[in-house]
Amino acid sequence: MSDSYSVRPLITAQQIEERIDVLADQINDHFEGTEKLVVVGLLRGSFVFIADLVRRLDLPVEVDFIEASSYGNETESSREVRILKDLRSPIEGRDVLVVEDIVDTGHTLKHVLRLLATHKPNRLEVCALLSKPSRREVEIRARWTGFEIPDEFVVGYGIDYAQRNRNLPYIGAVEFGGD
Ligand code: IMP
Ligand code: MG
């Protein structure tokens, strides 16, 4: 993989903000009256998204994280998903919202959802910021998706390429061999 690349803006910070407003409204409506919603972020890519999303939730919220390995430093998905950091909160009988940065092949989320389901949550839903439908290998039910994007490698707003560019306030597509 080339070390030299440029980032072409794809989704602006304002577009992200407006979309999160809409998603948060829908999530607030969906979970209205919940005793507690455990929001489970998938590290590390979801950390910016989850921070913006939970601040718009008008519900009793608890925040927890899971880390699952997927890409390493490559852009090819490994089908083998390992849990590197498990949940701290008990979720049995709880409403759970899994927050993911990107659903690509779907393997990561499928694995995580199967694991969480064994803890017998009351409701288990997914909110993904981005989805690449053309890349899907296993079916995933994400009740909420921010943006559907084409098959491009993206960075920014928490999402990295080899640990870089997480701090970009917008989402951009990586152009290899650029500048
Ligand atoms: P999946 O298991 O193929 O669905 O992979 C999902 C994970 O791969 C996401 O949580 C991301 O961490 C990573 N990923 C997928 N596409 C991209 C991308 O375009 N940029 C950066 N990371 C990505
Ligand atoms: Mg991820």
Side-chain angles (χ1 to χ4, degrees):
M1 190 75 50
S2 165
D3 228 26
S4 117
Y5 65 92
S6 57
V7 179
R8 171 171 42 85
L10 211 58
I11 306 172
T12 66
Q14 192 186 335
Q15 285 173 315
I16 297 169
E17 195 180 316
E18 286 170 6
R19 185 69 185 125
I20 294 178
D21 278 339
V22 174
L23 295 174
D25 281 351
Q26 293 173 357
I27 293 167
N28 282 326
D29 285 350
H30 184 85
F31 288 107
E32 193 185 342
T34 185
E35 211 174 291
K36 182 160 74 184
L37 178 66
V38 184
V39 181
V40 176
L42 263 62
L43 290 172
R44 287 172 258 181
S46 72
F47 81 103
V48 177
F49 181 38
I50 200 172
D52 280 346
L53 185 66
V54 295
R55 281 180 289 176
R56 290 168 171 87
L57 295 183
D58 190 16
L59 303 163
V61 155
E62 208 172 274
V63 176
D64 203 343
F65 293 96
I66 284 186
E67 184 168 11
S69 72
S70 50
Y71 271 69
N73 284 344
E74 297 296 327
T75 52
E76 276 307 307
S77 178
S78 83
R79 311 278 135 98
E80 230 178 273
V81 180
R82 282 183 309 140
I83 300 297
L84 305 178
K85 185 217 168 290
D86 209 340
L87 278 186
R88 299 285 297 273
S89 324
I91 57 164
E92 186 173 342
R94 292 291 174 203
D95 290 330
V96 175
L97 178 67
V98 177
V99 175
E100 171 63 314
D101 55 353
I102 308 181
V103 188
D104 187 31
T105 64
H107 288 287
T108 307
L109 209 46
K110 180 114 192 167
H111 185 93
V112 167
L113 290 174
R114 208 187 299 131
L115 175 78
L116 294 177
T118 64
H119 295 292
K120 305 209 173 355
N122 179 35
R123 285 183 282 183
L124 181 59
E125 300 292 355
V126 174
C127 178
L129 178 63
L130 304 175
S131 172
K132 297 181 196 172
S134 67
R135 296 259 309 162
R136 203 77 84 249
E137 292 175 10
V138 289
E139 205 197 317
I140 285 296
R141 300 166 299 104
R143 187 175 284 270
W144 299 283
T145 301
F147 302 90
E148 292 199 339
I149 59 170
D151 180 11
E152 296 196 83
F153 199 81
V154 296
V155 291
Y157 197 71
I159 300 162
D160 73 303
Y161 168 50
Q163 300 309 325
R164 289 171 59 189
N165 307 117
R166 291 192 197 274
N167 54 320
L168 286 178
Y170 59 89
I171 291 165
V174 169
E175 309 234 327
F176 296 106
D179 60 40

